[in-house]
Amino acid sequence: MAVYCQQYIEKYRLFVTNNPLLASEVEVALKWASYIVAGRFSQSPVVTELIHSASKLLTLVNDSILRKAAGFSINTNSVVEKLKTYLAIIEYAEVFVEVGAHQISGTRGKWLTVILLHLIKFTINCLLLLKYNQGICHSPPIQPLNRTKDIPELNRQSNPECYPNVEVTFTLSSSGRVVRSLHAAPPLVPRTWQVPKVDEDSYKAVRSRVPSKLSGKYLTGEMLHLLRPLVHLASMGVFGEFSWKPFLIAMGIDVTSLHLLKQKLDLNKGEKQEINRRALSLLLYLLRSPFYDQYSKQRIMIMLHIISNRVIGSGLFLRPLIEYIPEWQQQYFYSWSS
């Protein structure tokens, strides 16, 4: 049985390696299927989240296959790579696990699951930040590949002989002469004794992936971001689920964290994008309780009803959406969600 499974896994690896764009189309089809199923039957929340989580996890698996085929790793440290993979799996599956726990064990099981998941995420993020100096945490932890753009780039970076990177040479301290390092030397027969030319684009790409070291107020800002989900859950336990106090506490922590991190000027490109994503995510507070229940809900529903009644054909998509919005609001727009 194990042999047959191994054969099927190997066949699937070959399929993804040879057909990356087709694999991407399958992932997109699964994601759209989750939206189509939403609100169609009584158990649709569980089925929807199962399909949606499966599409994201499939993307993660396929990207891992393509990176390995190109000989390119997420991080030079294998422990960091594994921790980020675990973090990505939790992030992609957490909503499905929460909905499933609510269906099986009720409200108590749901909240225990939420607390456990965020404790695990906090622990992993702290290890990455404090022990392995990975800087600002990203969401998602592993960025999905752009199959049309990134696959040639991965192949280019996996062949240092044709496209040498910054590690193939070093400069002598006394004379300033640039010398090829031994581990980057080609085989003896085709070897030339010329110093390889450094690819500037490759150099910039490598530099853009080096995480910034955080200390002082910048480390405090990132720790606030990591603590915010747990602080919000704790404040909900003290003040109640629909109280304004947990809402305002979570917003205050987010704003303070962003204010501290934006003062750091030497962030790399990916970290700047993550800071901008966090700033834009503040808009989600408009869709979070109790602000949503008291202010946003009525206006959003009126607008969607007007569009569905006046725009021909829009009702086919908007009416199921109107019915399912309360479910989505409860599942996705949590103040404790990262």
Side-chain angles (χ1 to χ4, degrees):
M1 186 67 179
V3 176
Y4 285 115
C5 289
Q6 188 64 34
Q7 289 176 351
Y8 282 119
I9 291 172
E10 190 59 35
K11 287 180 180 178
Y12 183 74
R13 285 176 179 169
L14 289 173
F15 166 77
V16 173
T17 304
N18 295 327
N19 305 278
L21 297 182
L22 181 57
S24 181
E25 290 176 3
V26 173
E27 297 158 11
V28 172
L30 269 177
K31 187 177 294 184
W32 277 103
S34 69
Y35 299 134
I36 294 171
V37 170
R40 300 294 178 180
F41 48 91
S42 59
Q43 297 298 322
S44 62
V46 179
V47 177
T48 298
E49 293 308 324
L50 174 61
I51 297 173
H52 193 69
S53 297
S55 69
K56 290 186 174 181
L57 292 172
L58 183 63
T59 301
L60 182 66
V61 171
N62 290 345
D63 285 352
S64 176
I65 291 172
L66 292 170
R67 285 190 178 96
K68 287 180 180 177
F72 186 78
S73 61
I74 300 167
N75 195 283
T76 54
N77 190 322
S78 61
V79 177
V80 171
E81 185 168 349
K82 288 180 181 179
L83 288 174
K84 287 189 174 183
T85 302
Y86 297 151
L87 202 57
I89 292 171
I90 294 172
E91 189 164 313
Y92 290 155
E94 64 181 337
V95 178
F96 167 68
V97 174
E98 179 187 332
V99 173
H102 187 259
Q103 290 284 333
I104 295 170
S105 305
T107 304
R108 184 180 179 84
K110 166 191 168 180
W111 289 116
L112 287 174
T113 301
V114 170
I115 293 169
L116 179 61
L117 288 174
H118 280 288
L119 282 172
I120 295 172
K121 288 172 66 176
F122 176 75
T123 303
I124 295 175
N125 278 317
C126 283
L127 283 173
L128 291 172
L129 175 63
L130 302 176
K131 184 175 181 179
Y132 296 103
N133 297 315
Q134 290 302 298
I136 292 174
C137 69
H138 295 260
S139 182
I142 301 174
Q143 291 296 322
L145 289 176
N146 182 333
R147 303 287 166 82
T148 57
K149 178 184 176 182
D150 292 343
I151 301 302
E153 178 67 16
L154 292 183
N155 288 323
R156 187 171 77 89
Q157 293 180 25
S158 68
N159 190 350
E161 200 48 49
C162 297
Y163 299 93
N165 59 31
V166 294
E167 296 178 348
V168 301
T169 63
F170 63 94
T171 304
L172 298 177
S173 57
S174 57
S175 64
R177 183 182 178 86
V178 179
V179 181
R180 185 198 295 267
S181 60
L182 290 175
H183 70 272
L188 184 61
V189 175
R191 180 179 300 176
T192 63
W193 297 99
Q194 297 178 351
V195 175
K197 188 181 295 183
V198 175
D199 187 339
E200 291 296 330
D201 291 336
S202 179
Y203 174 78
K204 291 178 181 178
V206 171
R207 290 292 299 168
S208 68
R209 290 193 298 270
V210 177
S212 302
K213 292 184 178 180
L214 302 179
S215 59
K217 62 182 180 180
Y218 310 122
L219 181 60
T220 301
E222 186 62 14
M223 285 301 299
L224 283 174
H225 176 75
L226 300 181
L227 279 168
R228 187 256 299 150
L230 295 175
V231 171
H232 185 263
L233 284 167
S235 61
M236 280 181 54
V238 174
F239 301 112
E241 185 175 351
F242 299 103
S243 171
W244 277 96
K245 291 180 181 179
F247 178 91
L248 295 174
I249 289 171
M251 181 183 287
I253 292 175
D254 269 335
V255 172
T256 304
S257 172
L258 279 170
H259 175 71
L260 293 174
L261 290 172
K262 278 192 170 183
Q263 296 177 36
K264 190 170 177 60
L265 302 178
D266 58 345
L267 298 174
N268 63 42
K269 182 180 178 181
E271 290 169 338
K272 290 178 181 178
Q273 290 175 345
E274 173 62 19
I275 295 298
N276 291 334
R277 185 200 67 79
R278 293 182 189 179
L280 287 174
S281 70
L282 291 176
L283 294 174
L284 293 178
Y285 280 92
L286 299 175
L287 300 173
R288 290 169 175 163
S289 298
F291 189 93
Y292 171 80
D293 301 317
Q294 299 185 24
Y295 298 102
S296 306
K297 182 178 180 180
Q298 186 176 2
R299 292 170 175 79
I300 291 172
M301 290 298 183
I302 290 172
M303 182 185 66
L304 291 177
H305 277 294
I306 291 173
I307 295 173
S308 64
N309 291 330
R310 295 186 180 181
V311 179
I312 298 174
S314 62
L316 182 66
F317 302 99
L318 290 182
R319 289 191 183 96
L321 176 63
I322 291 170
E323 294 176 2
Y324 204 68
I325 277 180
E327 194 74 37
W328 272 342
Q329 195 271 335
Q330 292 179 15
Q331 291 175 11
Y332 291 107
F333 300 112
Y334 295 137
S335 289
W336 60 81
S337 183
S338 298

